[in-house]
Amino acid sequence: DVKVTQSSRYLVKRTGEKVFLECVQDMDHENMFWYRQDPGLGLRLIYFSYDVKMKEKGDIPEGYSVSREKKERFSLILESASTNQTSMYLCASSLPQIQETQYFGPGTRLLVL
Amino acid sequence: AQTVTQSQPEMSVQEAETVTLSCTYDTSESDYYLFWYKQPPSRQMILVIRQEAYKQQNATENRFSVNFQKAAKSFSLKISDSQLGDAAMYFCAYRPNSGGGADGLTFGKGTHLIIQP
């Protein structure tokens, strides 16, 4: 079974802090994704990566950056956390073909105070 | 830009009955995939069913089936013989067949499905 793990289920940070959200997958997937989930808004794509050190902006990249130094790990970075970044963050991975299933992690619920 | 619309924020159905969740989308692409994902309470999102735009036959997975109307840009999910374990948020999602498969999904806002025992 594909396993996508995220470093924290719950995280509380202060405004202005630098925040790292880590995601690891164990199926050698080329593609990895970060989404943000908010009630009434569904999931929105922040960034994705199709290879090591490669990244592409999604629909809402402002205030975020990413890092993919190893194939299995994809990190989301909030350079200076703000209260409007309080949300659920979901990581996903998939094989490169369009029809392939995206496998999701359990999510990190981030609260920025 | 592509958009996905789920017009039903919440649906309720009696156990063992059939329920249909609606989804419409807007795209100028001709080749794409559509997906329904399920997110149970406090559990991970999982794929329910997928449909390729070029396939006319509607996809079916056990009790789950879709009604894909390409011209109308409609992609509804039918759940037959509803079970308590079907209670979840259901998200409709779209992915174009471009960008070498590296594009993310465009999701609708979700439908909260309640199963009444």
Side-chain angles (χ1 to χ4, degrees), chain B residues 80-99:
Chain B
S80 303
D81 185 26
S82 298
Q83 300 175 0
L84 294 177
D86 295 333
M89 282 292 291
Y90 286 82
F91 293 95
C92 178
Y94 163 96
R95 194 181 195 188
N97 191 12
S98 58

Side-chain angles (χ1 to χ4, degrees), chain B residues 19-60:
Chain B
V19 64
T20 298
L21 308 184
S22 301
C23 174
T24 59
Y25 57 96
D26 187 22
T27 182
S28 58
E29 303 278 347
S30 60
D31 192 11
Y32 49 86
Y33 272 80
L34 296 163
F35 305 83
W36 278 97
Y37 277 85
K38 169 186 177 181
Q39 187 180 39
S42 301
R43 295 183 63 186
Q44 289 172 241
M45 182 109 58
I46 57 173
L47 178 70
V48 175
I49 198 165
R50 88 190 89 202
Q51 173 83 41
E52 182 181 5
Y54 270 105
K55 287 189 176 177
Q56 293 191 345
Q57 186 173 6
N58 288 324
T60 299

Side-chain angles (χ1 to χ4, degrees), chain A residues 35 37 40 48 99 102 104, chain B residues 37 39 44 50 102 105 109:
Chain A
Y35 293 92
Q37 182 178 10
F48 63 94
Q99 71 272 20
Q102 288 192 14
F104 285 81
Chain B
Y37 277 85
Q39 187 180 39
Q44 289 172 241
R50 88 190 89 202
L105 294 165
K109 295 180 179 181

